[in-house]
Amino acid sequence: MSAFPRPHRVAVVAAPPVTTFDLSIPGLVFGAALVGERPAYEVTICTADPGVVATSGGMDLLLAHGLEATGAADTVMVTGTGDRVSTDPRVLDALRAAAARGARVASICTGAFVLAQAGLLDGRRATTFWYMSEEFRRRFPGIALVPDVLFVEDRGVLTSAGLSAGIDLCLHMVGRDHGAAVANATARLVVAAPVRPGGQAQFIETPLPPERGARLAATRAWALARLDEPTTLADLARHAGTSVRTLTRRFRSETGLSPLQWLLHRRLDRAREILETTTLPMEQVAARSGLGTADSLRTHFRRSTSLTPTAYRAVHRAGRGGGPLPSGSKGVVGGGG
């Protein structure tokens, strides 16, 4: 844990077109962090050309500070940008200079593309917004991308996934600097979930591919209506009026998944809905979602989200303010994406 005689200086680099949500996160989180009654951080937002800066949301921002702010910063962060290819060379030079003098360097969301262009992620582990993972991996093969976590810290360089994962990253840094008590107090002040470990999944395992056909749509609807019942390949084939082999081939052609993989995805969707909207015990969650036993639910859930079902429920209740839920209440059932 570090103690600073003055507020820890954070320079947030805006690389246009700026993702405004990402840009607001450091000021929100670090601005709420207190050590005793003293502000723990001083946040400055800067850009290569001070003045009107374009955003990816169709509005403009007025930023007063230039990149010289990075020269005095203890931490330099670059937030999400809509330009993942041709970042201003002045921004890249400022980031390299900050890293060379020992400043902590971090990114939120697609800001990882900027750090990668600066060469600061070479040979390191990193993450970014899951939707951009394939593009990132293709463009930067020398970086060990970890696509399904909230954030990664590797030798003084930190990267986060998209949007709210930036909050988790900033809270993690507050904890690093001032301890868990200050980090959790900050989380309460910004009405965020308690500090979450970086290795937690982004809550979006590999998304279901878009369906590309409707010949088996009736069979899929039939399966969704009985997710809590045992369903075999033979059951699905019988409903579809075809052989198991033909069913499997058509299922993969239409959904990109085997029938049993598709069923597992849908059952995990159902389990998440039940965990988020009820206080049912785990045996009942497992039964209603078709995952069998509480042990089976726990195994599949950890593999899918890196969390236990209990931890997943706690995080989502905290995110909603932890209000009570009736033990028998149900969420919307059926297939979620």
Side-chain angles (χ1 to χ4, degrees):
M1 185 189 314
S2 302
F4 297 95
R6 54 167 173 73
H8 181 111
R9 293 173 181 154
V10 180
V12 182
V13 178
V18 177
T19 304
T20 51
F21 183 92
D22 295 350
L23 191 65
S24 71
I25 289 171
L28 172 73
V29 176
F30 293 127
L34 301 173
V35 176
E37 297 182 356
R38 176 177 64 86
Y41 297 89
E42 176 185 291
V43 180
T44 301
I45 300 176
C46 60
T47 191
D49 293 307
V52 176
V53 175
T55 76
S56 57
M59 60 182 179
D60 293 330
L61 294 176
L62 182 61
L63 300 182
H65 299 282
L67 293 174
E68 63 274 6
T70 64
D74 304 294
T75 294
V76 177
M77 300 188 75
V78 58
T79 58
T81 174
D83 184 352
R84 301 183 297 280
V85 177
S86 54
T87 300
D88 190 313
R90 292 172 292 173
V91 170
L92 303 182
D93 287 344
L95 291 168
R96 294 184 189 111
R101 64 176 174 78
R104 180 170 58 188
V105 178
S107 68
I108 294 175
C109 194
T110 53
F113 284 79
V114 179
L115 295 187
Q117 289 175 66
L120 299 181
L121 297 179
D122 292 350
R124 283 183 163 91
R125 297 167 66 250
T127 194
T128 190
F129 179 33
W130 65 268
Y131 191 73
M132 304 296 179
S133 291
E134 287 307 312
E135 177 186 341
F136 189 94
R137 186 180 283 114
R138 184 174 62 254
R139 289 184 53 203
F140 305 109
I143 298 169
L145 183 69
V146 188
D148 57 352
V149 296
L150 294 176
F151 58 84
V152 171
E153 179 174 5
D154 191 338
R155 291 168 287 161
V157 180
L158 301 95
T159 52
S160 86
L163 301 176
S164 62
I167 298 175
D168 295 297
L169 174 63
C170 290
L171 288 171
H172 168 75
M173 289 193 281
V174 173
R176 281 281 198 206
D177 297 338
H178 300 292
V182 173
N184 282 317
T186 303
R188 288 193 295 273
L189 283 171
V190 300
V191 197
V195 179
R196 299 189 289 180
Q200 179 172 314
Q202 295 181 29
F203 293 138
I204 47 79
E205 59 174 324
T206 304
L208 285 176
E211 294 185 355
R212 298 184 293 271
R215 294 181 69 180
L216 294 176
T219 297
R220 291 195 292 273
W222 173 80
L224 285 173
R226 59 195 307 273
L227 280 179
D228 58 340
E229 300 177 26
T231 303
T232 66
L233 283 174
D235 294 330
L236 293 167
R238 189 177 305 111
H239 184 275
T242 187
S243 68
V244 168
R245 183 174 179 178
T246 299
L247 171 90
T248 302
R249 176 173 53 78
R250 289 179 181 171
F251 221 97
R252 189 174 293 279
S253 174
E254 292 188 14
T255 70
L257 299 170
S258 73
L260 296 184
Q261 287 173 327
W262 182 87
L263 273 174
L264 178 58
H265 273 268
R266 295 308 192 184
R267 284 172 168 150
L268 285 166
D269 286 343
R270 175 74 61 81
R272 281 191 282 266
E273 290 171 358
I274 297 170
L275 288 167
E276 291 174 22
T277 57
T278 80
T279 57
L280 288 170
M282 294 305 160
E283 287 290 352
Q284 290 189 41
V285 175
R288 292 191 181 194
S289 61
L291 290 171
T293 65
D295 285 342
S296 176
L297 169 68
R298 190 175 302 109
T299 297
H300 287 297
F301 219 81
R302 286 189 70 101
R303 190 174 297 146
S304 170
T305 68
S306 299
L307 288 177
T308 64
T310 299
Y312 181 89
R313 172 178 275 166
V315 166
H316 278 267
R317 290 198 62 192
R320 278 195 298 265
L325 292 167
S327 61
S329 64
K330 299 181 182 179
V332 177
V333 296

